[in-house]
Amino acid sequence: MSSTSRIGKLKGKRLLLGVSGSIAAYKAAEIVRALRKLDAEVQVLTTRDAAQFITTTTLETLSGHPVLTELTDSGETGAWTRHITLGRWADVFLIAPATAQTVAKLAHGFADNMLTATALAARCPVLVCPAMDHDMYLHSAVKTNLRTLQDQGYEVLEPGFGELASGLVGVGRLPDIEEILERLAELLPGELRGKHALVTAGPTYEPIDPVRVVSNHSTGTMGFTLAKDLARRGARVTLVTGPTLLDTPDRVHRVDVLTSAEMLEAVLVHRNADFVFMAAAVADYTPTEFHSSKIKKAADHLVLKLRRTTDILAELGKNRQEHQTLVGFAMETENDLTNARRKLVEKNLDWIVLNNLTEDGAGFGTGTNRVTLLGKDGSSYPLSVMPKKQVARVLLDQILADNCA
């Protein structure tokens, strides 16, 4: 999908624009103008300091609505609940620029002005665009606050690199308007409305006795992140997960399983899903015998007999539906591209996501991943190391763009 096509999704939408006291606040006028050209309705919320950088008259003239700063600005009956009304009204909420002060308030739940109070009440996606001097942006306190925002469900668009108001050169500039609008468009809900997505996540536990299991180091993070993004895009999501400490994403139906056999059974119930993402690290082998009592330490060596488990994704590939998109995941340590390509063909997949456990930033238990998306048409999309949340978004963007092509 082209940049213009993506931005076009903002046409007719209702947007909140939060503006805080950064030198980059002057760009808020350009953002409002661009959104109004798309016939989007824009309500501007500012902090007190923002008025030092751009006048409310400018923003009111461009948006066609009074600018709100204080919680009682409107002077109307029910003004004290205006932030609640706005939080339900908007399709998406953009905070640009977001200063270090505003980022800190958002991260810690402050509600001392219309912008921060509405952010707390918002039911729509919220996109935060930090803009500040390079050294401020790199400070550990700011980084911690931005991570907190992401953990709370906010979207954060990294600032750009270039000349800053201080005269220094570095990271901290507000991104280009087009980049901001593209990201806003991606956050709009409903892209997959009416579609059913099945996601598997986490490890499986293959019991040896009441105490011990055969398992792996998967935390389930990648699958849970995919499920969350699919739900945000409007899909009805079923998440089948092995043991994990992760919280269930909003609007996701979770099915907990323990063993590979239980995962197979749960997956087959939803085998007709429009999209299937097999991100779980399912055990390839399971003990042939379960000991009902704990095996005692009687000898220096213990021999376990294992048998192959059913390859769940291969089963789906054999009996796939015509409307389905099947996506597998391959964890490799050697000959990664060759092995992943073979699995892609043998299991009758549309896509396979390859990561190599030996590469920095990839693998189990990390907050980041480095993957390559391989398509059945021979296409290859290598991604750099990035947070798993961003990996999920980029993967879905590419897979869905291919479906719409």
Side-chain angles (χ1 to χ4, degrees), residues 328-342:
F329 284 71
M331 174 74 76
E332 301 291 343
T333 57
E334 58 185 1
N335 300 323
D336 49 2
L337 285 170
T338 300
N339 290 333
R341 287 279 183 202
R342 187 184 70 252

Side-chain angles (χ1 to χ4, degrees), residues 174-307:
L174 192 70
D176 292 337
I177 306 299
E178 184 173 350
E179 183 180 355
I180 293 174
L181 296 185
E182 281 190 47
R183 190 72 189 99
L184 272 181
E186 291 172 359
L187 292 176
L188 288 172
E191 183 181 357
L192 293 177
R193 195 172 302 282
K195 300 294 184 181
H196 181 201
L198 171 64
V199 181
T200 66
T204 61
Y205 282 5
E206 309 301 324
I208 299 169
D209 62 21
V211 177
R212 304 174 181 91
V213 298
V214 175
S215 190
N216 55 61
H217 299 295
S218 174
T219 62
T221 303
M222 192 70 246
F224 273 65
T225 305
L226 282 166
K228 180 178 180 179
D229 205 327
L230 286 161
R232 178 183 63 77
R233 295 171 190 247
R236 176 170 63 90
V237 181
T238 301
L239 173 63
V240 178
T241 178
T244 177
L245 298 176
L246 300 175
D247 294 328
T248 308
D250 291 340
R251 302 185 304 279
V252 169
H253 173 60
R254 175 172 174 168
V255 179
D256 286 287
V257 299
L258 191 68
T259 67
S260 58
E262 290 176 0
M263 184 167 284
L264 171 63
E265 182 179 358
V267 164
L268 291 181
V269 171
H270 303 284
R271 66 191 313 161
N272 293 325
D274 300 289
F275 296 90
V276 178
F277 294 85
M278 290 292 294
V282 183
D284 293 324
Y285 291 89
T286 188
T288 58
E289 179 185 3
F290 173 72
H291 296 264
S292 57
S293 299
K294 178 183 175 182
I295 301 172
K296 297 298 182 180
K297 292 185 288 186
D300 292 335
H301 300 281
L302 174 67
V303 177
L304 288 178
K305 290 186 178 181
L306 306 175
R307 60 174 175 81

Side-chain angles (χ1 to χ4, degrees), residues 85-142:
T85 305
L86 289 172
R88 292 168 175 253
W89 169 83
D91 294 306
V92 66
F93 188 173
L94 168 65
I95 302 175
T99 60
Q101 173 82 340
T102 293
V103 166
K105 287 184 177 183
L106 292 170
H108 295 282
F110 281 57
D112 60 346
N113 59 46
M114 185 63 84
L115 191 162
T116 55
T118 304
L120 281 181
R123 292 190 173 186
C124 61
V126 180
L127 175 62
V128 179
C129 298
M132 62 197 75
D133 195 71
H134 175 78
D135 293 317
M136 293 177 68
Y137 177 70
L138 294 182
H139 195 283
S140 60
V142 174

Side-chain angles (χ1 to χ4, degrees), residues 47-124:
T47 64
R48 300 173 190 89
D49 290 340
Q52 298 184 47
F53 300 95
I54 186 168
T55 67
T56 56
T57 302
T58 297
L59 295 172
E60 288 177 348
T61 301
L62 292 173
S63 68
H65 291 290
V67 171
L68 304 178
T69 300
E70 306 296 343
L71 285 169
T72 55
D73 263 349
S74 65
E76 304 169 358
T77 301
W80 276 107
T81 59
R82 184 69 184 274
H83 58 293
I84 305 296
T85 305
L86 289 172
R88 292 168 175 253
W89 169 83
D91 294 306
V92 66
F93 188 173
L94 168 65
I95 302 175
T99 60
Q101 173 82 340
T102 293
V103 166
K105 287 184 177 183
L106 292 170
H108 295 282
F110 281 57
D112 60 346
N113 59 46
M114 185 63 84
L115 191 162
T116 55
T118 304
L120 281 181
R123 292 190 173 186
C124 61

